[in-house]
Amino acid sequence: MTTRFADRFAACARENRPALGIFTMAGDPDPATSTAILKALPGAGADFIELGMPFSDPMADGPGVQAAGQRALAAGQTLNRTLAMVAEFRTTDSDTPILLMGYYNPIYIHGVDRFIADALAAGVDGLIIVDLPAEEDDELCVPALKAGLNFIRLATPTTDDRRLPVILKNTSGFVYYVSMTGITGAAIKSHAAVGDAVKRIKSHTELPVAVGFGIKTADDAAIIGRDADGVVVGTAICNAVLGSLVDGKATAGTVAAVTTLVSGLASGVRRARA
Amino acid sequence: MPLSGANSLRNGPDEDGRFGIFGGRYVAETLMPLIRDLEAAYDHAKTDPEFAAEMADLRTHYAGRPSPLYFAERLTAHLGGAKVYLKREELNHTGSHKINNTLGQILLARRMGKTRIIAETGAGQHGVATATVCAKFDLPCVVFMGATDVKRQWPNVLRMKMLGAEVRPVTAGAGTLKDAMNEALRDWVTNVDTTYYLIGTAAGPHPYPAMVRDFQKVIGEEIRAQIMDAEGRLPDALVACVGGGSNAIGTFYDFIDEPSVAIYGAEAGGHGIDVENGHAASMTGGRPGVLHGNRTYLLQDADGQILEGHSISAGLDYPGVGPEHAFLHDMKRVNYVPITDTEAVEAFQLLTAIEGIIPALESAHAMAQVIKLAPTMGKDQVIVMCLSGRGDKDVETVGRMLGMIE
């Protein structure tokens, strides 16, 4: 198993702060700019990276991430290009954990065994596949774990104590708690409820628990990061890219728009428990 | 001899919701507990005499079943071959077979204590059938419909609104059925506590494909009894149109293990199978993949991105198909054939002119296959076609194509 996630969460725990996970859509708004954003993330304060694999039909994503995926696909992004981006990233960064996040069909079409081999060769540490619940573990989860790739499962507010063991069974790396029943980019209704849920999950597992969906600002990151081992920001990153575009094209300010946001979020996680 | 036991092709789905390699439960974790609850609720309802009695009563007194099996005498003479019978699902309440399914699922939603209903619709037939049962059972209803379909099927949009449903146009993608289904799934994930997703076709995550089939199989069961009355024998061929495939699986299911019955599913051939992204024939022109909760045949590119597809018929304009059809295709039990837009419109005109029946453009695809098939068969042979819906909603689309509207 690749150990970058375990090492990074342990390092952040030693600093008594949550890890900051940043989601960015591979290929948005174009391959070169997207690669530049990816490479700039660790320096701006990202502790781990979720690299989105764009899909034509992202059923769990809100408008912000949907639009980012559409921009990426329009610019010619493919699964092979996404894997190549990770390999390129690894030429300059061998420590920051990266997971690929997306939907199953492009992987199925690529071929599961070939995908796992290609992902490991590129330097990927884990996978989050939204439409592969525990019931479908034989498809990708089990062979990925066997090959040494972390398979990170989503737990949600509907995952009760009866179901938690089912989803934790084949989970590795960390548990990703979805803060709400909803799509990416919606608003968190109760921070307290999220904290309670994180504690509940932690009573079932030794794995770190990171929270995503609905975290947009440094304050959100600070509040959620009080209880969680990690916080993930995605839609706000996609929206920052969008805000920097002119006529749909990247500008000189695109990478900076993302790194400025990430720096602010990084300060948020550093005062979560201060 | 009918197939039976392990040789039966009607043993699916297994406990994982699979028909062969197809089907399954490919949904976000948020939905999984609900999907399992739905499965349990349906398993219970299936064997509950009270549920069966309620369904039987609604079918008879509300939907108007059984629907007639009509011998199309002039059509038969015109085609000069096999005798053609039409299963008149378009005479059901709301004008299509869709009411068979929405009645079953609304009863289930009530049993599960759900207080809000959502649905996707392409042609609007399922949307109307859902809005109808929501009016009858006093439940709020939101129907997601592609913006393109809202335009081309506006009579059904008006019907849904009059029935009290909120119609939400979906502008993503090509604004057709696939995009409506994505948006319905997003709504469901958000409102999972209160909301029942009333899927209109025999697709989606398990248990929907099996459940929708079970609510639709009354079509084939009635055909069997009616054709035995009329001809004293089983039909030689069955024909139905296939988008997601709910009227088709309902028509076919009772005959799948009868080797003497040839079965044809008419897919949307659009501008032609050779035109890239110009058709919606997922089995003729697609390959297996995973979308909307199930593994099935999908129109997709080399990188696994789903194509929009095209059909003149909003109800068939979907890049996938129900998993049981995918299985029956692989088993070579059902012959799925593409019908072009042009062939469908010609069939629409023929049936209208010589039988006085205006078919839905979806059903016109099945009719086009009958037009090809009947002349190749003997006059002593029998075809039964499922006339799944009436064509009032399509007169504007066809009128424009024929230059009858400025």
Side-chain angles (χ1 to χ4, degrees):
Chain A
M1 191 67 63
T2 76
T3 60
R4 288 190 193 100
F5 272 109
D7 296 347
R8 185 54 57 96
F9 274 105
C12 291
R14 281 194 298 277
E15 292 176 28
N16 191 29
R17 66 171 182 88
L20 175 63
I22 296 295
F23 171 95
T24 183
M25 182 63 79
D28 174 33
D30 62 71
T33 308
S34 182
T35 303
I37 289 171
L38 181 64
K39 286 181 153 179
L41 288 178
D47 295 304
F48 66 93
I49 295 168
E50 298 186 5
L51 188 59
M53 299 178 283
F55 182 50
S56 52
D57 294 83
M59 282 91 67
D61 286 309
V65 177
Q66 282 180 49
Q70 291 305 313
R71 290 192 297 269
L73 290 173
Q77 192 68 9
T78 62
L79 186 48
N80 281 326
R81 285 189 180 176
T82 300
L83 291 163
M85 273 180 69
V86 177
E88 169 70 23
F89 175 82
R90 282 280 173 248
T91 63
T92 57
D93 185 314
S94 53
D95 301 325
T96 304
I98 291 193
L99 63 82
L100 297 178
M101 184 165 185
Y103 297 80
Y104 182 45
N105 196 57
I107 294 170
Y108 179 68
I109 293 306
H110 192 85
V112 166
D113 293 340
R114 187 180 144 216
F115 172 76
I116 291 170
D118 290 353
L120 279 169
V124 172
D125 301 290
L127 305 172
I128 295 180
I129 308 302
V130 177
D131 52 354
L132 284 180
E135 278 73 2
E136 305 294 352
D137 270 357
D138 291 343
E139 291 278 344
L140 176 63
C141 171
V142 170
L145 288 173
K146 232 177 243 174
L149 270 178
N150 289 294
F151 201 87
I152 293 104
R153 187 86 65 196
L154 303 181
T156 73
T158 61
T159 314
D160 58 19
D161 282 336
R162 198 167 39 115
R163 187 163 169 83
L164 255 179
V166 176
I167 69 151
L168 291 173
K169 190 178 147 221
N170 284 329
T171 300
S172 69
F174 66 97
V175 179
Y176 187 124
Y177 181 67
V178 176
S179 67
M180 67 185 85
T181 59
I183 52 181
T184 52
I188 294 177
K189 287 184 194 119
S190 164
H191 289 99
V194 174
D196 290 345
V198 169
K199 287 176 202 153
R200 183 168 66 86
I201 295 168
K202 287 178 78 72
S203 73
H204 285 262
T205 179
E206 300 289 310
L207 289 170
V209 177
V211 175
F213 285 41
I215 298 168
K216 301 177 199 311
T217 65
D219 285 346
D220 294 336
I223 295 167
I224 297 294
R226 219 169 283 157
D227 299 305
D229 301 304
V231 295
V232 182
V233 180
T235 298
I237 305 294
C238 296
N239 289 342
V241 171
L242 174 64
S244 75
L245 304 181
V246 173
D247 295 333
K249 303 278 184 211
T251 60
T254 297
V255 176
V258 173
T259 53
T260 304
L261 176 60
V262 173
S263 301
L265 293 163
S267 72
V269 297
R270 277 163 180 81
R271 59 181 155 84
R273 298 170 200 162
Chain B
M1 279 287 286
L3 305 173
S4 61
N7 291 326
S8 169
L9 293 174
R10 303 203 304 166
N11 293 334
D14 66 17
E15 59 182 22
D16 296 322
R18 295 200 190 275
F19 304 86
I21 66 163
F22 300 104
R25 303 182 188 94
Y26 300 87
V27 296
E29 169 60 24
T30 311
L31 296 176
M32 271 317 297
L34 182 67
I35 296 265
R36 302 311 294 252
D37 287 350
L38 173 60
E39 194 181 339
Y42 179 57
D43 280 348
H44 181 255
K46 224 166 24 180
T47 56
D48 180 356
E50 207 174 298
F51 187 84
E54 210 172 347
M55 273 303 286
D57 182 64
L58 287 167
R59 277 175 173 165
T60 307
H61 300 107
Y62 192 70
R65 301 206 73 87
S67 65
L69 185 70
Y70 166 71
F71 174 48
E73 198 172 351
R74 283 194 70 204
L75 179 68
T76 298
H78 176 82
L79 297 176
K83 294 172 84 167
V84 178
Y85 283 83
L86 304 177
K87 179 60 172 167
R88 301 289 302 274
E89 289 296 303
E90 101 282 12
L91 293 178
N92 293 333
H93 180 43
T94 74
S96 81
H97 70 291
K98 293 293 188 187
I99 192 78
N100 302 330
N101 170 46
T102 58
L103 282 173
Q105 288 199 53
I106 201 85
L107 293 184
L108 207 54
R110 277 158 54 93
R111 286 183 159 222
M112 294 176 72
K114 298 297 178 187
T115 56
R116 174 175 178 266
I117 305 295
I118 58 170
E120 84 296 339
T121 197
Q125 301 292 73
H126 173 60
V128 167
T130 303
T132 297
V133 296
C134 286
K136 175 172 167 48
F137 288 101
D138 193 24
L139 286 166
C141 175
V142 176
V143 179
F144 295 90
M145 187 171 189
T148 305
D149 293 340
V150 167
K151 279 200 200 96
R152 62 179 162 171
Q153 306 279 217
W154 63 267
N156 275 344
V157 175
L158 291 180
R159 290 167 79 198
M160 285 184 269
K161 288 184 176 172
M162 287 171 190
L163 288 160
E166 178 191 343
V167 179
R168 286 202 200 153
V170 178
T171 52
T176 59
L177 184 50
K178 167 175 88 95
D179 313 298
M181 199 148 182
N182 288 337
E183 214 51 43
L185 283 164
R186 289 180 189 121
D187 182 292
W188 199 24
V189 164
T190 306
N191 300 295
V192 64
D193 289 341
T194 58
T195 298
Y196 183 93
Y197 182 13
L198 210 162
I199 294 184
T201 193
H206 179 66
Y208 282 100
M211 181 169 70
V212 175
R213 173 199 72 199
D214 290 349
F215 290 137
Q216 293 292 357
K217 70 184 181 184
V218 64
I219 302 172
E221 290 167 355
E222 287 178 6
I223 290 172
R224 180 186 284 265
Q226 290 166 324
I227 201 72
M228 289 307 287
D229 268 356
E231 296 283 340
R233 57 193 284 267
L234 296 181
D236 298 287
L238 288 174
V239 181
C241 64
V242 181
S246 71
N247 92 85
I249 201 69
T251 301
F252 301 163
Y253 192 64
D254 204 54
F255 298 93
I256 284 170
D257 286 337
E258 301 284 359
S260 70
V261 181
I263 305 182
Y264 297 88
E267 290 197 281
H271 302 309
I273 289 297
D274 302 333
V275 180
E276 194 180 86
N277 210 6
H279 62 84
S282 51
M283 283 178 290
T284 315
R287 58 184 171 135
V290 173
L291 180 72
H292 292 157
N294 55 184
R295 183 188 344 258
T296 188
Y297 277 86
L298 295 172
L299 301 178
Q300 52 187 319
D301 69 13
D303 206 43
Q305 305 295 336
I306 309 302
L307 301 174
E308 293 289 343
H310 158 82
S311 171
I312 189 174
S313 144
L316 305 185
D317 199 345
Y318 179 70
V321 67
E324 196 162 12
H325 287 293
F327 170 72
L328 293 169
H329 175 61
D330 271 16
M331 298 303 289
K332 303 195 187 317
R333 175 62 187 99
V334 176
N335 192 4
Y336 295 93
V337 292
I339 297 294
T340 65
D341 288 352
T342 308
E343 290 170 331
V345 170
E346 286 167 6
F348 176 102
Q349 292 174 271
L350 179 68
L351 188 66
T352 302
I354 70 172
E355 290 289 352
I357 299 173
I358 301 179
L361 272 174
E362 291 76 28
S363 318
H365 285 69
M367 180 50 55
Q369 175 59 16
V370 170
I371 291 169
K372 292 180 185 182
L373 188 62
T376 70
M377 295 169 63
K379 292 192 175 182
D380 55 340
Q381 291 188 294
V382 173
I383 300 176
V384 176
M385 183 197 111
C386 182
L387 184 51
S388 55
R390 68 179 188 222
D392 310 41
K393 67 187 179 63
D394 295 313
V395 294
E396 186 174 329
T397 300
V398 176
R400 268 185 211 292
M401 264 189 93
L402 301 178
M404 297 163 75
I405 301 171
E406 293 288 304

